């Protein structure tokens, strides 16, 4: 499918959804931003997240992306999550010896569809706790052959079908909240290439910084944010050969701020490496990242 057709079928509906959400939102919008949503959503509620990310790495490599996430409460316990990447750009040095040049692969990224079911729920005055597993299917909708100068793993799309299973925990109260996720991700082989399977572990904590008094009418809130992301990944393979610079473990720490009103919230976090260990030589190490996210919630009567 052409990139123009994807632009017409995906980006334009998201733009319309954004403006609808902005003018008709009526519920608070707070949750984590560096991993798939673990926050609860009531039946008929849409939670939309628009975010821009940048990651700088060694060896002249960087990744810029636009991600859009829609969380919809289909029933009181069942939620659907749609993750898309309308734009992904990877820049890296390509070539060998004296013939080294800068190369870029930019275009449409892949899509992930998740289904999340709440198995356990505990509610009390001013607080709630939920346990919810989910399963996800990644669709190879992205562009995986933008330029031959960069490897398959440095293209906007993977070209692979991906399965993801995870367990999420969520606690919400008036002054602080937290989410956690533990999951496993595996991909199919495509044209002889297979991305290494990965163990994922993420957590997020938000603490209310302002206002101090919640007894009066509160129109906006400022939260301190601390998130963390860990991944342990097997090496990528092309046929029976191990691809250099792939596989290993990365642990990131993500401090930031979140400001929100009854209609929307805006978050900014920085991503910094605490641990990096790679299984094969030639890896480009993670230097830093930045993520900015706008989240908008609104309620509809369309649910089961």
């Amino acid at each position: 499918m052409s990139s123009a057709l994807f632009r017409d079928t995906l980006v334009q509906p998201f733009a319309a959804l954004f403006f609808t959400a902005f003018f008709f939102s009526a519920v608070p919008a707070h949750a984590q931003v560096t991993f798939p949503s673990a926050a609860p959503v009531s039946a008929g509620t849409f939670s939309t997240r628009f975010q821009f990310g940048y990651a700088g790495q060694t060896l002249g490599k960087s990744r810029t992306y636009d991600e859009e996430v829609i969380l919809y409460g289909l029933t009181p316990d069942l939620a659907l999550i749609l993750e898309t990447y309308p734009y992904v750009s990877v820049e890296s040095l390509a070539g060998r010896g004296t013939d080294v040049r800068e190369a870029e692969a930019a275009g449409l990224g892949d899509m992930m569809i998740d289904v999340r079911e709440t198995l356990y729920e505990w509610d009390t005055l001013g607080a709630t706790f939920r346990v919810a597993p989910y399963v996800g299917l990644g669709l190879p909708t992205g562009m995986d052959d933008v330029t031959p100068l960069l490897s398959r793993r440095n293209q906007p799309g993977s070209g692979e079908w991906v399965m993801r299973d995870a367990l999420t925990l969520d606690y919400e109260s008036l002054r602080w909240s937290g989410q956690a996720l533990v999951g496993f991700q595996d991909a199919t082989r495509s044209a002889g290439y297979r991305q290494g399977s990965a163990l994922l572990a993420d957590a997020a904590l938000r603490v209310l910084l302002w206002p101090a008094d919640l007894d009066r009418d509160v129109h906006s809130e400022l939260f301190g944010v601390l998130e963390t992301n860990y991944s342990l990944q097997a090496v990528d393979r092309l046929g029976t050969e191990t691809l250099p610079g792939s596989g290993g473990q990365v642990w990131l720490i993500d401090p930031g701020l979140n400001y929100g009103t009854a209609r929307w919230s805006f978050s900014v976090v920085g991503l910094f490496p605490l641990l990096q260990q790679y299984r094969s030589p030639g890896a480009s190490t993670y230097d830093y990242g930045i993520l900015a996210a706008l989240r908008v919630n609104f309620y509809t009567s369309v649910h089961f």
Side-chain angles (χ1 to χ4, degrees), residues 1-3 88 104-110 140-160 190-191 193:
M1 189 177 292
S2 69
S3 59
V88 177
E104 179 185 13
L108 184 69
D110 291 341
T141 56
M143 303 165 67
D144 59 3
D145 59 352
V146 175
T147 174
L149 295 177
L150 296 180
S151 64
R152 178 72 171 272
R153 56 201 294 265
N154 288 327
Q155 303 291 331
S158 67
E160 301 173 290
S190 173
Y193 171 78

Side-chain angles (χ1 to χ4, degrees), residues 175 208-221:
R175 294 194 175 274
L208 182 66
L209 302 178
W210 178 88
D213 183 11
L214 295 179
D215 293 332
R216 58 184 177 84
D217 189 17
V218 175
H219 298 286
S220 60
E221 297 171 317

